[in-house]
Amino acid sequence: MTSIVEIDTTNRRQVHQFLDLPFRLYRDAAQWVPPLASDVRRMLDRKRHPFYRHSDAAFFLAVDGSGTAVGRVAVLDNRNYNAYNHEQTAFFYLFECENESTTAQALFDAAFAWARARGLGRVYGPKGFTALDGMGLLVEGFEHRPAFGIPYNLPTYPALLESAGFVPVSDILSGYLSSDVVFPEKIHRLAERVQERRGLRVARFRRRRDLRALIPDLQAMYNAAIEGTPGNVPLTDDEVRTLAAQLLWFADPRLIKLVMARSAETGKEHPVGFLFAYPDISAAIQRCKGRLFPFGWLDALLELRRTDWLNINGAGIVEEYRGLGGTAILFSELYKSIAERGAQHVDVVQIGADNDRMLRDLRDFGVDFYKTHRMYQRSL
């Protein structure tokens, strides 16, 4: 008989059971890339993860009669998100389960009860703890390895969610771009003209410490950009420091580009757009099973240099520059990054299916959208 346990996050044995379950479920899935062990372990650490300074989460484990873990789920009460969006929403995340609908239902029933006890009226996800956590349940593209940090799940999971009463609400697309696609030279020329006319400059970097110095400006740009848009939440100082630490250790500074504008009032430059590209180290993470220590970090560092895959997992420009050629700057820099890196394969990750203009432009430039993640919700 299967029982559901809310794990004690200070109990080492229970935490190990929770973290080790995917390695058994995905043992025959060659495409699966495990998360970094240090990152996922931090999600369960109430003293170290900045999420717990303003919010709360619970972690449920399904255990069979022999004591073997057969399912898991996390449920999050992100109080900052709910206050900012005037909602009473719980997120679910880290769902894994054997293909047994009664087990999935029991897991979610425990999560639903936890959410109801906190006055929450809807469960939505998969959505994680930070802006870096990949979103959605994979529903198309199971034959492809995910970009580093982007969720991968078994094909049985959508049916398990729907059997527990979840309904799909939106899709998120990821696309493939080959290096042999011919990029229109006129876009480069347009980008140059826009920069000259609007007084913009593309900042490029060689050292991680130069990027780190810009973190407060990036935080301000991100928080200003999402103001008034539903479904987002401003980043706190602690969250930004944690995100920066996660990003910078595997970043190639030359692939991080910021569109800078100079303030007429202060004369100081500030970022108004960005392009984040990263060498994909998924192959190394598969080999070390997500454990960078004691020796996995060396393989990961070597993979940063030799991989011919590039992930484009962040691009945007503040609204006042979008319709005035600012988007051309981003596309121009995207292709320059591919050429500068010598990448043969590019993953353009997680763009909302409702972002019609961006999707149309990317398709025109040769991006083939070949993976779909889906967001689900259930009313309580």
Side-chain angles (χ1 to χ4, degrees):
M1 181 177 178
T2 299
S3 59
I4 305 299
V5 179
E6 180 178 354
I7 72 169
D8 176 358
T9 54
T10 66
N11 183 310
R12 184 173 297 181
R13 179 178 177 275
Q14 289 184 334
V15 169
H16 283 169
Q17 277 189 297
F18 191 92
L19 298 181
D20 290 346
L21 174 60
F23 289 91
R24 180 169 63 81
L25 296 180
Y26 293 95
R27 62 181 178 269
D28 296 324
Q31 297 83 2
W32 180 64
V33 179
L36 288 178
S38 57
D39 287 352
V40 72
R41 193 178 296 116
R42 189 182 295 111
M43 294 178 189
L44 280 73
D45 191 329
R46 299 178 186 275
K47 294 181 179 179
R48 294 179 59 215
H49 201 291
F51 177 85
Y52 297 103
R53 293 180 192 131
H54 57 75
S55 297
D56 199 8
F59 303 86
F60 295 97
L61 197 64
V63 181
D64 68 12
S66 67
T68 300
V70 293
R72 74 177 197 186
V73 73
V75 57
L76 287 62
D77 177 9
N78 189 328
R79 299 185 188 114
N80 280 2
Y81 174 93
N82 282 324
Y84 186 78
N85 290 279
H86 308 290
E87 293 184 16
Q88 291 81 42
T89 296
F91 300 147
F92 76 90
Y93 195 52
L94 301 176
F95 172 73
E96 305 285 356
C97 192
E98 292 185 348
N99 190 23
E100 177 54 61
S101 61
T102 57
T103 301
Q105 182 70 62
L107 276 169
F108 281 114
D109 282 345
F112 298 157
W114 185 91
R116 286 192 194 98
R118 283 152 181 79
L120 305 175
R122 179 179 78 131
V123 179
Y124 175 77
K127 184 174 172 64
F129 294 79
T130 73
L132 271 189
D133 297 329
M135 297 172 58
L137 200 70
L138 185 68
V139 297
E140 181 182 7
F142 294 99
E143 68 273 28
H144 303 291
R145 188 181 69 189
F148 178 61
I150 302 302
Y152 184 90
N153 52 263
L154 295 172
T156 53
Y157 285 13
L160 290 177
L161 258 65
E162 292 174 16
S163 72
F166 283 94
V167 295
V169 289
S170 61
D171 285 351
I172 309 167
L173 307 181
S174 296
Y176 174 80
L177 181 65
S178 173
S179 63
D180 59 10
V181 170
V182 178
F183 184 71
E185 186 62 31
K186 65 181 180 180
I187 299 298
H188 292 309
R189 293 195 298 268
L190 174 60
E192 292 170 359
R193 289 198 301 270
V194 171
Q195 290 179 64
E196 183 177 351
R197 291 174 182 173
R198 302 285 292 173
L200 303 176
R201 178 179 70 90
V202 176
R204 298 174 176 84
F205 306 92
R206 292 192 174 275
R207 299 176 299 181
R208 285 179 173 81
R209 67 182 180 183
D210 295 332
L211 280 172
R212 192 178 295 277
L214 280 167
I215 294 300
D217 287 337
L218 290 175
Q219 178 186 3
M221 179 183 69
Y222 177 87
N223 289 347
I226 66 168
E227 188 172 352
T229 62
N232 294 292
V233 61
L235 296 172
T236 67
D237 293 346
D238 288 336
E239 287 169 337
V240 166
R241 283 191 289 269
T242 298
L243 293 175
Q246 288 177 277
L247 284 171
L248 291 179
W249 82 262
F250 66 88
D252 179 344
R254 295 169 298 179
L255 299 175
I256 307 295
K257 299 178 179 180
L258 301 180
V259 182
M260 309 293 291
R262 191 173 298 278
S263 171
E265 297 177 357
T266 66
K268 294 182 179 180
E269 282 192 323
H270 59 281
V272 297
F274 63 92
L275 176 74
F276 294 162
Y278 298 93
D280 192 295
I281 58 171
S282 295
I285 301 305
Q286 285 179 320
R287 290 191 292 269
C288 72
K289 296 180 170 53
R291 297 175 176 87
L292 292 179
F293 299 99
F295 304 114
W297 64 271
L298 180 58
D299 191 15
L301 286 177
L302 292 173
E303 191 70 16
L304 280 173
R305 299 176 183 175
R306 67 192 173 204
T307 181
D308 60 358
W309 278 84
L310 189 66
N311 296 338
I312 307 293
N313 63 350
I317 196 158
V318 297
E319 188 172 1
E320 65 180 286
Y321 292 96
R322 288 175 198 163
L324 299 169
T327 304
I329 299 174
L330 296 181
F331 284 128
S332 176
E333 292 302 321
L334 184 155
Y335 278 84
K336 288 178 183 177
S337 292
I338 296 170
E340 291 161 3
R341 175 73 189 187
Q344 299 300 307
H345 313 280
V346 180
D347 246 324
V348 182
V349 304
Q350 298 231 304
I351 299 172
D354 57 351
N355 193 341
D356 295 329
R357 181 173 179 178
M358 178 66 76
L359 293 173
R360 182 175 63 251
D361 289 345
L362 288 169
R363 286 190 175 101
D364 289 344
F365 291 142
V367 175
D368 174 26
F369 287 96
Y370 70 138
K371 299 174 188 171
T372 302
H373 287 78
R374 185 158 292 159
M375 301 300 294
Y376 290 82
Q377 72 173 11
R378 186 188 188 278
S379 298
L380 297 180

